[in-house]
Amino acid sequence: MEIQNPNRDNSDAMKYVKSLKDAVKRRFAGEYLKWIRAGRSGTAPVRGALSQTNWRTICTNLDTLA
Protein backbone atom coordinates (compact mmCIF):
# COMPACT_ATOMS: atom_id res chain seq x y z
CA MET A 1 0.00 0.00 0.00
CA GLU A 2 1.40 3.32 -1.05
CA ILE A 3 1.34 6.17 1.46
CA GLN A 4 0.23 9.41 -0.14
CA ASN A 5 1.34 12.80 1.06
CA PRO A 6 -1.65 15.17 0.96
CA ASN A 7 0.65 18.15 0.40
CA ARG A 8 1.92 16.79 -2.91
CA ASP A 9 0.08 17.60 -6.10
CA ASN A 10 0.11 14.61 -8.45
CA SER A 11 -2.50 15.93 -10.86
CA ASP A 12 -2.00 15.78 -14.62
CA ALA A 13 -1.79 19.57 -14.74
CA MET A 14 1.05 19.68 -12.23
CA LYS A 15 2.87 16.87 -14.05
CA TYR A 16 2.60 18.96 -17.21
CA VAL A 17 4.08 22.00 -15.42
CA LYS A 18 6.98 19.93 -14.09
CA SER A 19 7.62 18.42 -17.53
CA LEU A 20 8.39 21.82 -19.10
CA LYS A 21 12.14 22.10 -19.63
CA ASP A 22 12.37 25.89 -19.92
CA ALA A 23 12.36 27.68 -16.55
CA VAL A 24 10.40 30.66 -17.92
CA LYS A 25 7.68 28.38 -19.27
CA ARG A 26 7.61 26.38 -16.03
CA ARG A 27 7.30 29.50 -13.87
CA PHE A 28 4.49 30.96 -15.98
CA ALA A 29 2.68 27.61 -16.10
CA GLY A 30 2.89 27.31 -12.31
CA GLU A 31 1.47 30.80 -11.84
CA TYR A 32 -1.28 30.16 -14.39
CA LEU A 33 -2.22 26.88 -12.69
CA LYS A 34 -2.45 28.63 -9.31
CA TRP A 35 -4.70 31.24 -10.90
CA ILE A 36 -6.98 28.55 -12.35
CA ARG A 37 -7.22 26.78 -8.98
CA ALA A 38 -8.04 30.07 -7.26
CA GLY A 39 -11.21 30.21 -9.35
CA ARG A 40 -9.76 32.57 -11.96
CA SER A 41 -10.26 35.44 -9.58
CA GLY A 42 -8.18 38.55 -9.91
CA THR A 43 -5.84 39.29 -12.78
CA ALA A 44 -4.45 36.47 -14.89
CA PRO A 45 -0.66 36.11 -14.87
CA VAL A 46 1.08 38.04 -17.62
CA ARG A 47 3.02 36.15 -20.24
CA GLY A 48 6.21 38.14 -19.67
CA ALA A 49 9.06 36.87 -21.84
CA LEU A 50 7.05 34.07 -23.45
CA SER A 51 6.24 34.26 -27.11
CA GLN A 52 2.58 34.50 -28.07
CA THR A 53 2.65 30.93 -29.41
CA ASN A 54 4.21 29.41 -26.27
CA TRP A 55 1.85 31.39 -24.04
CA ARG A 56 -1.23 30.23 -25.95
CA THR A 57 -0.04 26.59 -25.95
CA ILE A 58 0.60 26.52 -22.21
CA CYS A 59 -2.74 28.19 -21.43
CA THR A 60 -4.65 25.80 -23.67
CA ASN A 61 -2.96 22.72 -22.22
CA LEU A 62 -3.54 23.79 -18.62
CA ASP A 63 -7.14 24.80 -19.31
CA THR A 64 -7.70 21.28 -20.61
CA LEU A 65 -5.90 19.48 -17.77
CA ALA A 66 -6.98 21.55 -14.77
Side-chain angles (χ1 to χ4, degrees), residues 1 5-6 19 26 30 35 37-38 43 49 52 58-61 63:
M1 182 174 176
N5 184 346
S19 74
R26 199 169 43 249
W35 178 72
R37 290 186 174 159
T43 306
Q52 183 74 19
I58 290 171
C59 291
T60 303
N61 288 339
D63 287 337

Side-chain angles (χ1 to χ4, degrees), residues 24-37:
V24 174
K25 291 178 186 177
R26 199 169 43 249
R27 185 179 69 235
F28 171 77
E31 291 173 4
Y32 191 78
L33 183 58
K34 287 179 191 173
W35 178 72
I36 290 172
R37 290 186 174 159

